[in-house]
Amino acid sequence: MDARFLGIAELAEAPSVAVVVDVMRAFTVAAWVFAQRAEKIVLAESLDEALALKARHPDWVAIKDGPPAPGFDIVNSPGMLRSIDLGGRTVVQKTTAGTVGALAVKEASLVLCAGFVVAEATARLLRTRKSDRVTFVVTGEDGRADEDLACAQYIARRATGAGTDAAEFLRRAAESRAAAELAEGVRQGVHPDDVALCLELDRFPFAMVAALEDSLMVLRPCAVPSPADDAPI
């Protein structure tokens, strides 16, 4: 597999297959949203668009980075989200990096959103689709966020079927600037368990696929057969 690792600003054209990585915390949060039984996530272009969507659909749940704000229901924290039942709900998410990255590749034929919590399912989906050329969008810090790059590199190796030890990749993420800022309270809207939750490898068995639906970029969970399911009977 030909894997490229690019920051958002380096995307000169729409790739065929894109994996958008935001470990801390957009797509860890997105995975928890689906674990809490939400139907779908609408990725908003801006805070204003998120609020406008919420105004048109009062039953939708709006999420943003940072501290609580009027009009938003939840902050972008897996630790805070995990106790909320979202059964059947639509969630609108706007974050600093993750949602921006997904919208930047919305014209790709396949867009996956990922973090460590869905790493193996994402890699299996890439293998199932026989994706020969994949662009990994490293969303944090203008493409330099080591937690996102480490996760992207891990998924890329697993997508080739290589038996890769995750420990070094998780260590890099744990020692990243983002992890330190979350742990030290530099960022607002943080739960004490957020870093640990972002570093839970393969917590969830699904991948997450984003696609345009009526001009909105919508993220949905995607069940991926396990290797045992692929075995001959």
Side-chain angles (χ1 to χ4, degrees):
M1 186 183 76
D2 178 14
R4 297 188 303 162
F5 304 91
L6 301 176
I8 297 170
E10 297 173 295
L11 294 164
E13 58 186 11
S16 176
V17 177
V19 179
V20 188
V21 181
D22 189 332
V23 173
M24 298 185 185
R25 297 165 285 171
F27 298 138
T28 300
V29 165
W32 273 98
V33 164
F34 294 128
Q36 298 305 98
R37 305 187 305 115
E39 178 187 352
K40 64 181 183 288
I41 299 172
V42 176
L43 304 177
E45 294 264 8
S46 64
L47 294 175
D48 286 343
E49 184 190 29
L51 290 173
L53 288 167
K54 171 73 174 178
R56 290 202 299 273
H57 307 276
D59 58 323
W60 288 12
V61 178
I63 296 179
K64 65 175 282 292
D65 275 337
F72 288 88
D73 304 287
I74 314 171
V75 297
N76 191 50
S77 160
M80 296 182 191
L81 184 83
R82 61 185 168 173
S83 62
I84 299 173
D85 183 2
L86 297 171
R89 306 287 291 277
T90 293
V91 170
V92 180
Q93 186 183 33
K94 170 65 179 86
T95 70
T96 306
T99 59
V100 176
L103 288 162
V105 293
K106 62 185 178 182
E107 303 299 334
S109 60
L110 175 64
V111 178
L112 305 179
C113 296
F116 281 110
V117 291
V118 293
E120 185 60 26
T122 303
R124 283 206 312 271
L125 185 55
L126 291 171
R127 292 200 301 271
T128 300
R129 299 289 181 95
K130 295 181 170 56
S131 303
D132 294 327
R133 184 180 177 91
V134 180
T135 296
F136 289 85
V137 183
V138 180
T139 61
E141 298 178 35
D142 297 322
R144 296 187 298 274
D146 204 31
E147 75 281 1
D148 294 338
L149 182 58
C151 183
Q153 291 170 337
Y154 176 72
I155 293 171
R157 292 194 187 185
R158 291 296 302 137
T160 66
T164 304
D165 185 355
E168 175 62 18
F169 299 94
L170 291 167
R171 181 197 64 75
R172 285 167 54 193
E175 295 177 359
S176 67
R177 175 181 172 183
E181 289 182 351
L182 290 171
E184 295 166 8
V186 174
R187 302 187 186 186
Q188 294 182 291
V190 178
H191 187 280
D193 294 340
D194 278 356
V195 172
L197 291 172
C198 290
L199 298 177
E200 284 191 326
L201 184 66
D202 303 329
R203 170 74 185 247
F204 304 113
F206 51 81
M208 299 186 293
V209 179
L212 287 169
E213 299 182 17
D214 298 325
S215 79
L216 295 175
M217 193 66 165
V218 177
L219 186 63
R220 295 180 183 272
C222 177
V224 183
S226 68
D229 294 332
D230 296 335
I233 296 176

